[in-house]
Amino acid sequence: MAIERTLSIIKPDATRRNLTGKINAMLEGAGLRIVAQKRLRLTRAQAEGFYDVHAERPFFNDLCTFMTSGPVVVQVLEGESAVAKNREVMGATNPADAAEGTIRKECAESIEANSVHGSDSSENAAKEIAFFFAEEEIVG
Ligand code: ADP
Ligand code: MG
């Protein structure tokens, strides 16, 4: 097992309900270290660029509107198997399917407003981290 990095985003539904600290505690409780973090309001262009892989999906437009509806917290998480570990603590995309004790089970409002994003592979993690952070902003 190797130390990895992954990109996490605390989404606008969660920042609006003041859940940043709770989610960070759940991430840290799962053994993930927050090695970079910033709060920002995504522009439409940033949201569309970030979710480019979903451009043909029917929910793409609504997703970009949602992701620009309020502040997000983008963060780099580091730890053993960080990509898989983060996906595990996040829970399933649809909170109705998310396991007990996961962030989406505890926090998500809907399949769209599901509180967190997490990279789905180490290749995508590298791209997504570079989308938001310069290497010197990441302090391991
Ligand atoms: P995940 O975030 O679990 O990796 P996806 O990559 O499939 O899920 O989708 C990206 C995001 O798009 C989801 O987190 C969610 O916010 C939104 N989304 C996914 N599926 C739907 C859907 N059927 N209806 C509305 N929004 C969706
Ligand atoms: Mg995804």
Side-chain angles (χ1 to χ4, degrees), residues 11 50-51 53-54 57 87 90 93 104 117-120 124 128:
K11 295 184 177 182
F50 184 78
Y51 280 117
V53 291
H54 295 312
R57 308 282 283 277
R87 294 295 307 194
M90 287 166 62
T93 306
R104 283 168 166 171
H117 166 86
S119 307
D120 61 7
N124 284 337
E128 291 179 359

Side-chain angles (χ1 to χ4, degrees), residues 7-85:
L7 186 88
S8 168
I9 305 178
I10 301 177
K11 295 184 177 182
D13 67 287
T15 60
R16 188 180 299 122
R17 286 175 293 140
N18 228 12
L19 295 174
T20 300
K22 175 181 170 131
I23 290 171
N24 279 352
M26 292 178 80
L27 295 170
E28 291 181 338
L32 293 161
R33 186 173 294 275
I34 301 164
V35 295
Q37 175 167 259
K38 56 190 168 191
R39 179 173 166 109
L40 48 93
R41 181 83 179 244
L42 295 181
T43 65
R44 184 89 196 174
Q46 278 177 309
E48 289 177 356
F50 184 78
Y51 280 117
D52 189 49
V53 291
H54 295 312
E56 302 308 320
R57 308 282 283 277
F59 56 79
F60 178 71
N61 241 334
D62 285 350
L63 176 61
C64 292
T65 299
F66 163 62
M67 289 299 289
T68 56
S69 69
V72 298
V73 177
V74 296
Q75 46 194 193
V76 180
L77 308 178
E78 187 177 86
E80 281 284 329
S81 306
V83 173
K85 192 174 278 183

Side-chain angles (χ1 to χ4, degrees), residues 95-117:
D97 302 329
E100 288 298 331
T102 61
I103 293 169
R104 283 168 166 171
K105 178 72 174 186
E106 287 206 13
C107 302
E109 294 183 314
S110 68
I111 191 170
E112 177 183 81
N114 59 4
S115 301
V116 279
H117 166 86

